[in-house]
Amino acid sequence: MSVLAMQRNFRLWLDHGDTFAAARIGERAAPGLLVYQNNYRAQLIACLDEAFPHTRDWLGGEGFHEAMVAHIERVPPSSWTLDAYPRDFPATLAMLYPGDPEVAELAWIEQALAEAFVGPDAGVLTPARISAIDWDSAVLHFTPTLDHAPLTTNAPALWAAMDGGEAPPAAEILAEPGAMLVWRHGLVSRFRAVERAELDSLLRARTGTPFPDLCRALVESLGEEQGVARAGQLLGSWIAEGMIVSIEDAQS
Amino acid sequence: MSLPCFAGFGLGLRKPHYADFLDTRVEVDFVEVISENFMVDGGRPSQILRDVRERYPVALHGVSMSIGSADGLDGAYLKRLRALVDEIEPLFVSDHLSWSRIEGFNSHDLLPLPYTIEALDLVCANVARAQDAMGRAMLIENPSTYIDFVRADMSEWQFLDAMAQRTGCGLLLDVNNVFVSASNHGFDAIAYLDGVPHDRVRQIHLAGHSLGTELLIDTHDRPVPASVWDLYAHVMPKLGAVATMIERDDDIPPLGDLLDELAIARRISDIAMRVAA
């Protein structure tokens, strides 16, 4: 048997438990093949278990274990890094728990925080730089770790309670769907829930819309006074929370 | 491609000991890190490795190169690893004589190879490509294995010898893995240690193992046993300058316990050097 054929048989054994493929590797290999299959599954289970502690606590050990087994059946690992394996787990949970959307949303928060933790480093916006900006031509640049996802439940409150060691509240569906933002400020991953309107402004800003145009859009929808105030409030919070890492203007 | 050389005693850098290594001067000559843990874009892991590198020489030890894959190496992986190598300027860059990935599937385990001429050819081609990508000679580690393929053209140590001769790579000799595989497959561990090309060995791993249902398992979750210390004492007089380290990955004890084990390695090495002289 060629090395390629052996490796294909090995994959079938590990991924599908294919006993015919195992037999082709060799009859006397059976005890060793069991060791490798146990290692393979134990490693993926440990990876998911470590990546989603609050989702595990929310679902309970048995439910979470069943979800991990289902995920391993559905999604074979493909990346060179095991850190990539949890990425698709929220999608598996969404399929397994269609009537409980907080489960997948909670898992998304955990996964996104972990991704942000090792995401690209970014610069720091200094007070001196802010004071020198020509706001009539300002374009905001956001940290590359900034990510977002739809939010339909109180999953952020569930995460916060469990992370603080408190009993989580009951799951609730939001009156208005919003979004979750996750990013890293310095070395610390952060998240918060936002309304759809803030996400829209943020996405426009991130695609390069100049800040004055954002202001104009907010004035059109909210009126002069409230629109200008809202623009200033969004800008202030994005800077204070470390989402904006640089601002380009005509003088840059 | 020249083979780097370093003599000393080190430990694997593991999360429970980060503060020890960063806040105090730990009495080691080098630390070894798992390459993939730091092949990230940025954030705290990158900062920790930079800080550690300022204080200690670092060896990069990989688990995902998959040097035995029949469909070749992953170019994106090699590019990432090269970036880390350029930043850290490690003592050594190592990985295993094993495979993990085939046709888009990655097992994240160190799977065994048959020691055939065909496997030797493909491993040598992959090692050569990896060394070109790294711009330096690599060290390849002997694995613990749980399968003894029926068809083999040579022993594992003959395979390592041929691979090192053809590619110019060095060897990371894991003494515990020799013991585990010898026990599982019934070969003589002393013959193995006498048969490896001693002039190519640059680093040594020492670790513990446990007994599974039928086989010894390379668990790295307990102290180095007497059987492994005996093999270390046997091979050390035959080697030149090597970097010895204790490899502990599970049930990680306080750092002091590992330093005590490292002191044993130093004593055995001192005696071995006197014997060799």
Side-chain angles (χ1 to χ4, degrees), chain B residues 7-72:
Chain B
F9 297 84
L11 292 175
L13 181 70
R14 302 294 181 260
K15 274 184 190 171
H17 303 145
Y18 282 175
D20 293 305
F21 279 97
L22 291 173
D23 298 342
T24 65
R25 176 69 209 182
V26 178
E27 289 303 314
V28 295
D29 301 312
F30 73 101
V31 297
E32 183 190 86
V33 302
I34 302 299
S35 309
E36 289 79 4
N37 291 348
F38 300 95
M39 289 163 63
V40 293
D41 290 326
R44 193 179 295 278
S46 297
Q47 185 61 52
I48 286 171
L49 184 56
R50 282 193 292 270
D51 291 345
V52 166
R53 181 64 186 89
E54 285 181 8
R55 294 163 171 79
Y56 308 90
V58 169
L60 292 179
H61 184 51
V63 294
S64 295
M65 186 173 281
S66 195
I67 208 80
S69 280
D71 58 351

Side-chain angles (χ1 to χ4, degrees), chain A residues 158-200:
Chain A
L158 304 181
W159 186 96
M162 287 188 280
D163 204 58
E166 298 167 7
E172 290 176 7
I173 299 293
L174 299 178
E176 291 287 335
M180 294 176 277
L181 300 181
V182 168
W183 72 100
R184 195 180 77 232
H185 186 193
L187 296 176
V188 180
S189 297
R190 299 177 181 277
F191 80 92
R192 72 173 164 90
V194 294
E195 294 175 351
R196 186 72 215 180
E198 178 174 350
L199 180 68
D200 290 344

